[in-house]
Amino acid sequence: MTYRVAVIGAGPSGLYAVDGLLRANPDLHVDIIERLPTPFGLVRAGVAPDHQGTKAVVRQFDRLLALPDVRFAGNVEVGRDITWDEACEAYDAVIVATGRAIDRKLGIPGEDLQQPWGPLVWGSWRFVAWLNGHPDFRVGPDLSQVRSVAVIGNGNVALDVARVLAKSADEMARSDIVPEAAAAIAAAPLGDIHVIGRRGPEHASFTGNELAEMGRLARVVAVTDPTDLNVAPPSSDPTPERLRKARNLEILKGFATHQPGSKPITLHFRFNAVPLAFRPGEVELATAGTLPADLVVTCIGYDGEAFPRQEGVFPVGWARRGPTGTIPTNRTEGHAVAKEVLAWLEGRDPKSGPDILPAAIDVAGWHRIDKHEIAAGAPLGRPRVKLTDWAALLAVAQGD
Ligand code: NAP
């Protein structure tokens, strides 16, 4: 009675679902099917490269990939190498953990503006994937003339983007940012970074530790207009939300006492500023007028690809609940979805069709990539230097 479960996507939500499945110790076999040759999804490509503590969760995930009932199948894309129908047909259950990797658009004039040196406006997925060495996003913005950056959004992704741009080379030295991005940021003539919220600071979705970190950066002074801060968290919010927002307001009040220009880069938190249009070198904001911006990064959330919604298919993570929540959110949810899957399987006859997996990068192949990257980072004192080229990833995985 061995059931076969496919998990599509080797990011945190899929891997926590696998963890949940195997903790129940059922008689099942799990195939983790991943489009990239490398596992770990958002942890590898989305968590900011300087937040190595958050990335350390991959050690737990790596142990899962090595278990005998688990097969990692990298470089296999559902929709290209096998169809969704084939997957649903062949497996007793399919867990969809494909995340959300499409940058949402603001839908305002100038969003697709091309300057001679590239687009003015970058979505945060694309921008952060570049910092993180995602092989589909090897080209980043030309920062050589960028003095002023507008970061649109008041979530933790906006803080990630602003912080990585703001940190000094020394502060990034023990990160796994790709060397080209690190060099481009270090050489950019950055003077101002504006983090722009369309609502007031009492609505910002920053979390306290991440916001407070912005006040401790070597070459950056964080500032804000104190007149925006005479507000309180909405009384209708649940207590933890009110506490989080109250802490944000306290931190921002500290920033409001700082002197703009007292360090090489001024990081401005601007509120109640709805973006209206982008023009070469500037962004127009309701209430705040125009701001100079040689680069804009929109951090306003993500959409996902469609997948079949039918019996036996179980979405998890961002594919299920949308682009919210931290890595640990996925643990609770992944374990709950695993329970749903096990309940669904109970009493069913296992399918007995052929193995449909095409040739793939297996866990040994991933470990060859891992070893190669760690070795490349060692002489530089970095955790790793990532391979960013598809052909190189495949060659190293295959032992060439
Ligand atoms: P988020 O927290 O939902 O923030 C999205 C921001 O975009 C909000 O400020 C939202 O404003 C704004 N926005 C949306 N549409 C907009 C529009 N049309 N015009 C202007 N602003 C717009 O999402 P996120 O920053 O993408 O982060 C995704 C999830 O990952 C979050 O749960 C986050 O906490 C988590 N994350 C955690 C960490 C960490 O723990 N260190 C790091 C990165 C990400 P409104 O509020 O007005 O809608």
Side-chain angles (χ1 to χ4, degrees):
M1 285 283 282
T2 303
Y3 294 107
R4 287 185 302 183
V5 177
V7 177
I8 317 297
S13 65
L15 293 172
Y16 276 127
V18 174
D19 184 51
L21 286 174
L22 298 178
R23 273 170 194 268
N25 202 19
D27 190 2
L28 57 76
H29 181 94
V30 182
D31 281 347
I32 302 170
I33 300 174
E34 167 59 50
R35 197 176 78 77
L36 292 177
T38 52
F40 310 141
L42 196 74
V43 181
R44 183 172 161 102
V47 171
D50 60 327
H51 275 182
Q52 289 295 313
T54 309
K55 288 188 190 252
V57 69
V58 301
R59 286 191 215 118
Q60 291 175 39
F61 294 154
D62 226 3
R63 285 197 287 275
L64 283 177
L65 297 184
L67 293 175
D69 289 329
V70 173
R71 189 161 55 154
F72 173 67
N75 192 33
V76 177
E77 182 172 348
V78 178
R80 181 191 69 184
D81 304 309
I82 56 174
T83 66
W84 282 103
D85 281 352
E86 283 167 336
C88 295
E89 188 68 24
Y91 289 94
D92 296 294
V94 174
I95 295 178
V96 180
T98 45
R100 289 183 174 225
I102 301 169
D103 282 306
R104 279 191 188 142
K105 295 276 219 171
L106 284 164
I108 62 173
E111 205 163 6
D112 296 318
L113 194 73
Q114 287 293 330
Q115 303 166 115
W117 53 90
L120 172 70
V121 182
W122 288 66
S124 59
W125 177 265
R126 185 175 172 196
F127 185 78
V128 175
W130 168 61
L131 302 174
N132 268 322
H134 189 300
D136 290 342
F137 300 91
R138 297 181 75 197
V139 178
D142 177 351
L143 300 178
S144 61
Q145 309 293 321
V146 172
R147 293 173 192 283
S148 179
V149 181
V151 180
I152 313 279
N154 266 185
N156 282 334
V157 171
L159 295 183
D160 281 349
V161 167
R163 188 185 66 254
V164 172
L165 285 168
K167 274 191 170 178
S168 67
D170 270 0
E171 287 169 311
M172 292 301 287
R174 270 160 294 285
S175 77
D176 64 355
I177 188 172
V178 291
E180 311 82 70
I185 292 170
L190 276 169
D192 295 279
I193 301 173
H194 306 269
V195 174
I196 297 164
R198 64 176 167 178
R199 297 192 286 163
E202 73 280 26
H203 299 291
S205 53
F206 310 136
T207 46
N209 290 349
E210 281 66 22
L211 184 59
E213 192 181 351
M214 310 307 272
R216 299 192 296 266
L217 305 181
R219 61 173 188 163
V220 175
V221 57
V223 303
T224 193
D225 180 346
T227 60
D228 281 333
L229 303 178
N230 295 325
V231 286
S235 55
S236 56
D237 277 1
T239 307
E241 272 295 273
R242 269 188 287 130
L243 291 173
R244 179 183 66 74
K245 289 174 174 176
R247 184 168 174 220
N248 280 350
L249 288 167
E250 280 314 301
I251 296 165
L252 289 165
K253 281 177 187 160
F255 293 172
T257 65
H258 296 164
Q259 190 58 41
S262 57
K263 290 192 187 177
I265 299 174
T266 302
L267 172 60
H268 311 257
F269 284 89
R270 299 188 177 276
F271 298 101
N272 302 303
V274 175
L276 298 179
F278 301 110
R279 287 185 287 272
E282 64 180 35
V283 44
E284 185 185 343
L285 302 166
T287 69
T290 56
L291 278 182
D294 310 305
L295 170 73
V296 177
V297 186
T298 54
C299 308
I300 60 166
Y302 310 101
D303 291 320
E305 302 280 358
F307 56 85
R309 295 186 184 260
Q310 62 189 61
E311 283 217 315
V313 173
F314 299 84
V316 66
W318 281 12
R320 180 188 180 102
R321 64 175 192 274
T324 62
T326 57
I327 306 285
T329 315
N330 294 297
R331 187 171 191 275
T332 320
E333 194 197 72
H335 286 185
V337 168
K339 279 199 182 118
E340 280 176 40
V341 172
L342 294 171
W344 151 266
L345 290 173
E346 207 171 303
R348 282 173 194 275
D349 291 333
K351 293 179 179 171
S352 56
D355 185 358
I356 61 158
L357 266 192
I361 302 300
D362 61 8
V363 69
W366 151 241
H367 284 156
R368 280 192 279 274
I369 294 174
D370 194 30
K371 228 172 126 185
H372 179 100
E373 292 184 343
I374 291 171
L380 306 171
R382 291 183 178 270
R384 66 180 62 236
V385 174
K386 286 180 181 161
L387 288 166
T388 62
D389 175 60
W390 270 95
L393 282 159
L394 297 179
V396 170
Q398 282 150 5
D400 297 347

